[in-house]
Amino acid sequence: MAVLKGSAERRPLGDNAKAWALNAPAIAVIALLVAYPIGYSFYVSLQKNNLKRPRAKRFIGFDNYKALLSDQAFLSALKVSALFVLVVLGLTVVLALILALVLNERFRGRGLLLSLALLPWAMPGVVNGLMWRTIFDAKTGALNGLLQQLGLIDSYHAWLTSGSGAFLFTALAQVWNTLPFSVIILLAGLSTIPSELYDAATVDRAGAWRRFTEVTVPWLLHPLLIVLILETMNAFRAFDTIYVLTGGGPGDATTTIALLDVQTVLTFTDFGLGSAYAWVITAITLLISVGYIGLLYRKGNFEV
Amino acid sequence: MELTRRHILKLTGLGLAGPALLSACSNDSSSGGGSGDGSVKFEGWDYEAALVQQNLDRFTKTSNVKVNYTPITSAQYVQKVVAEFTGGGGPDALYVYDDSLAAWVEGDYLQPLDGMAGVDEVYDAIYPGNAQAMTYDGKRYGLPYYTDATCLTYNAGILAQAGISKPPASLEELEAQALKIKNAGLLEYPIGLPAQLSDTWWSWVWALLFGSGGNMFDDQQNPIMNTSDTVTKDVFAWLQQAATKSKVIDPASLQLLPVPVDNAMKANRYAYTIGARYASRDYNDPAKSKAAGKIRMGLVPSLDGKEHGTVSNTRMYGLAKDTEVKDNAFKLLTYLGGYDDQKQPYTAKFWFLQRGLGFAYKAMVNDPTITAALKKFADPKIYTHLAEIAKPRNVLGVPWYTEFETEMHKVVQGVLSNQTQPSAAVAALAQSAVTLKKKYS
């Protein structure tokens, strides 16, 4: 009887304990599905670990990372990736800003244009790659057909067979796929700018360019920061579109670090080196993100 | 409702029981033979899976051994099998590529077949190149699934239109004939090659090297393409000349995988390609090809116009090292890659008659059924001669072969697109081989 009474009078959990208890499943799942694989991949990156040679598996410390300094394939892929990020990011920011400014205006058909502009975002990278591959096809491609009908070329060209051509067209395909996301972010940023600011600037005889540079840009710095961080990560990790479109070729003209990483892990089954590549990609994107935050976060005027 | 420790313990218990329940509901596919009824877990890439199943059903009917067959997407076959063996759930019997054999033996996935019933008999009856490709470190690891030799495939109809009566013997002659076709306005680019980067080997590059008597490696797998053997550099120089100066090789080749090249051959859009013999079966099939009846097989043209050889590949059936149903799995292997009760290589014959897949058994060429089927798409003499002069790549036994092949694709693309000069290309390949050898040492 005394036991039952004691049990009935058991104190309920406090708020703190309840919070932990309720979050515990989510924390456990995140730890199991996210934190553990991330930590394990770092552990693997410190190993000589190629599935083709299981008996040679051993802990080698940071040797995989040291080897990257003289790894020509890695250095070349890093160079290609850096250039790819610059081109994709530059094009994305400029085009997204223009599109967002246009879509921020009120005009007939705006809704339709907005829906169309968002369409590429819904397309998976592989499908995007296949679509552009069909468009750029040397024998039956729509691009060749269009240019020939416009009288700009005499015969069909194999656009993806030169290094610079393949690089540029791959970057364009990537931009097409990721542009809508940046447009949404910037459009959301534009919608938060109080119209009074533009009215005041107009009263002060500020022209369109000054209104853009003095009002719009400062208010867009935070959304721009998000765009820069996410698009840099996207471009650095770009894989599916490039894989389908060029496979990294011709030569290694479009072999980015992400492509090299997937090839190293899945084709060469070198999990040690491949994990080291992955951690280098992570470190680089983290550094760039911190740089962006340092440059842009405290700038911009958010006071109304 | 107030949350008490008791409630939380109950919920935690349920949370832990959930995965266990799910696990209990899953289909246990752990390492072969796990079901305990002696059934064999068999895996292969997904080529003609329905026909494979049909053949396996026949085996089950005659042997009473149940086979659980899983076809795996070709593009991911190697990776998935490696993942399965690494995770401890590999098959009992499986397809093996000749260029995966060394790595899979080193990885302890396969067991040798030496001493097992009928193996010596099979190895005595097949072409030496196939036997060599299925042997690693002096031990035999496979029974033959199919084999092929790479050849020059040409459209005799287009050649005739250009006034050409016989196929080229030398690379110089090939370029001249292609130019003749081009200048006659028949085709802008008479030669098409599958030169898009991919995970599969480029047989045509090896065929061109072996066709001219060259090699990239000596017998100890040391690179010689930059030192004692000049054939690689000369072949690369010819490729560059034909792609960028005389422009007889289609520049779109860099965007082409084998299937689009096959389609172009069937549509009379190329006069020449270099590829597997069995492709001619489809090329000459009126139901599938506009070029049917016009496609011929020839020896791979060489630098000096003389006959030297070509390259072969071998696909085999292997036996898992840790199989628990070794006897049944070996019975299956024998049915698929060896002789049946009538001393006939039943499955090898089945595949040739069904799909034209090349056979490793020398005697099969004298079988009237085979000859009759062969005559429908190829000249049996040339077909057999190609098998006789074909040899496997001597670098298949090194664990870094896949990496080297991938690097070679990039280098050859550089040559074809004029980004890399032949001398720089062979230097890069030699350097790559040295680096890989060091990495794996």
Side-chain angles (χ1 to χ4, degrees), chain B residues 108-270:
Chain B
D108 283 340
Y109 305 160
L110 304 175
Q111 61 174 294
L113 306 179
D114 299 83
M116 294 186 190
V119 172
D120 288 348
E121 201 185 345
V122 170
Y123 274 70
D124 288 343
I126 60 178
Y127 291 106
N130 300 123
Q132 189 187 333
M134 297 193 295
T135 305
Y136 178 68
D137 216 9
K139 292 178 181 167
R140 295 159 169 178
Y141 284 91
L143 293 183
Y145 168 20
Y146 74 88
T147 178
D148 218 325
T150 303
C151 63
L152 174 77
T153 308
Y154 62 95
N155 186 318
I158 296 174
L159 267 64
Q161 280 178 284
I164 302 163
S165 56
K166 60 174 188 172
S170 70
L171 291 173
E172 197 182 346
E173 215 179 320
L174 172 60
E175 189 182 1
Q177 287 189 4
L179 262 176
K180 204 172 174 186
I181 292 167
K182 188 182 174 103
N183 293 336
L186 295 169
L187 290 170
E188 191 180 0
Y189 300 110
I191 305 173
L193 298 164
Q196 180 177 319
L197 298 184
S198 67
D199 286 345
T200 55
W201 72 305
W202 285 5
S203 66
W204 60 271
V205 176
W206 292 95
L208 283 171
L209 297 182
F210 289 6
S212 289
N215 206 336
M216 287 198 263
F217 296 90
D218 65 15
D219 290 340
Q220 282 72 48
Q221 287 79 41
N222 295 309
I224 52 170
M225 74 290 272
N226 196 27
T227 52
S228 57
D229 193 312
T230 58
V231 170
T232 309
K233 189 177 150 193
D234 294 342
V235 166
F236 284 0
W238 179 83
L239 279 172
Q240 194 160 62
Q241 153 99 9
T244 61
K245 293 202 174 76
S246 57
K247 295 186 177 174
V248 290
I249 294 180
D250 189 353
S253 291
L254 272 70
Q255 280 179 261
L256 297 178
L257 290 168
V259 172
V261 173
D262 289 343
N263 292 338
M265 284 299 289
K266 287 189 253 183
N268 291 309
R269 289 209 334 257
Y270 289 136

Side-chain angles (χ1 to χ4, degrees), chain A residues 43 69 87 171 203 208 230 303:
Chain A
Y43 172 64
L69 299 172
V87 173
V203 169
L230 294 180
E303 299 295 323

Side-chain angles (χ1 to χ4, degrees), chain B residues 325-344:
Chain B
V325 287
K326 186 176 170 181
D327 289 346
N328 283 350
F330 185 68
K331 261 186 210 168
L332 174 66
L333 241 65
T334 305
Y335 171 78
L336 294 172
Y339 288 117
D340 63 10
D341 297 340
Q342 280 79 48
K343 297 289 172 198
Q344 290 294 313

Side-chain angles (χ1 to χ4, degrees), chain A residues 3-235:
Chain A
V3 173
L4 281 174
K5 193 180 173 189
S7 170
E9 285 174 0
R10 204 179 292 267
R11 279 192 303 119
L13 289 172
D15 287 348
N16 224 0
K18 249 188 261 178
W20 275 106
L22 290 170
N23 281 298
I27 291 170
V29 168
I30 290 169
L32 198 70
L33 299 181
V34 180
Y36 173 71
I38 289 175
Y40 186 70
S41 80
F42 182 69
Y43 172 64
V44 171
S45 78
L46 304 177
Q47 292 177 337
K48 185 170 190 164
N49 187 344
N50 190 324
L51 296 188
K52 276 184 278 192
R53 311 196 81 202
R55 277 172 282 186
K57 182 177 164 181
R58 64 175 194 275
F59 184 81
I60 54 168
F62 285 91
D63 284 3
N64 278 328
Y65 292 92
K66 284 182 206 158
L68 297 185
L69 299 172
S70 57
D71 183 341
Q72 288 309 313
F74 171 75
L75 296 174
S76 163
L78 196 61
K79 204 168 113 189
V80 172
S81 285
L83 203 57
F84 190 75
V85 170
L86 276 177
V87 173
V88 169
L89 201 62
L91 285 171
T92 304
V93 169
V94 171
L95 292 174
L97 199 56
I98 293 170
L99 253 174
L101 287 169
V102 169
L103 290 169
N104 197 39
E105 298 298 319
R106 298 199 175 279
F107 56 90
R108 187 186 280 267
R110 177 179 175 271
L112 180 70
L113 188 63
L114 189 62
S115 310
L116 287 175
L118 295 181
L119 203 62
W121 194 32
M123 198 171 278
V126 173
V127 180
N128 183 49
L130 287 171
M131 182 190 77
W132 284 103
R133 200 187 148 106
T134 311
I135 291 171
F136 296 144
D137 191 271
K139 304 286 179 197
T140 56
L143 180 66
N144 272 316
L146 179 72
L147 294 178
Q148 198 177 41
Q149 281 178 20
L150 292 173
L152 296 173
I153 54 170
D154 296 328
S155 60
Y156 277 31
H157 286 258
W159 301 105
L160 300 175
T161 56
S162 75
S164 50
F167 182 86
L168 191 66
F169 285 113
T170 308
L172 285 176
Q174 177 72 15
V175 169
W176 190 84
N177 196 210
T178 56
L179 186 66
F181 177 72
S182 305
V183 173
I184 292 171
I185 302 279
L186 294 180
L187 199 53
L190 283 173
S191 66
T192 63
I193 304 176
S195 58
E196 294 89 336
L197 289 181
Y198 289 110
D199 296 340
T202 309
V203 169
D204 288 344
R205 294 186 184 176
W209 177 248
R210 282 205 70 187
R211 287 201 299 276
F212 174 70
T213 54
E214 303 290 334
V215 180
T216 310
V217 171
W219 273 82
L220 275 186
L221 284 180
H222 272 202
L224 210 55
L225 176 66
I226 295 168
V227 167
L228 286 174
I229 292 174
L230 294 180
E231 291 301 341
T232 302
M233 286 180 181
N234 273 339

